[in-house]
Amino acid sequence: LYIARGEKRLEGRSRTAVYYRMQNISSVLEDHAKPYVIGWPPKKNVGSGVVPRLETIMGDLELL
């Protein structure tokens, strides 16, 4: 269900691309001592520019 939603929201992206993006989100959640997204384990190497952008978005959504 979540994968299908993610793919729909990221139309034009492959399942693998969606998976990697969700792993980035899981990584940021884990860094903030939050449970990560089930099925998408945290990615070990997230780009340095990606983390602050995700933190801003997730902070605005009150996820952090």
Side-chain angles (χ1 to χ4, degrees):
L1 177 65
Y2 293 115
I3 293 172
R5 285 183 185 172
E7 287 176 341
K8 184 172 181 150
R9 304 253 325 177
L10 295 171
E11 288 183 32
R13 303 226 186 241
S14 69
R15 180 174 285 235
T16 302
V18 172
Y19 184 79
Y20 289 145
R21 279 157 183 76
M22 293 307 295
Q23 282 186 297
N24 289 341
I25 291 169
S26 286
S27 181
V28 171
L29 287 168
E30 185 178 64
D31 289 347
H32 287 270
K34 303 282 186 182
Y36 62 83
V37 183
I38 295 171
W40 291 305
K43 194 171 180 188
K44 298 302 176 199
N45 297 313
V46 179
S48 61
V50 173
V51 173
R53 288 188 313 207
L54 285 175
E55 287 175 331
T56 298
I57 292 167
M58 293 166 74
D60 290 346
L61 296 170
E62 299 180 4
L63 297 173
L64 296 180

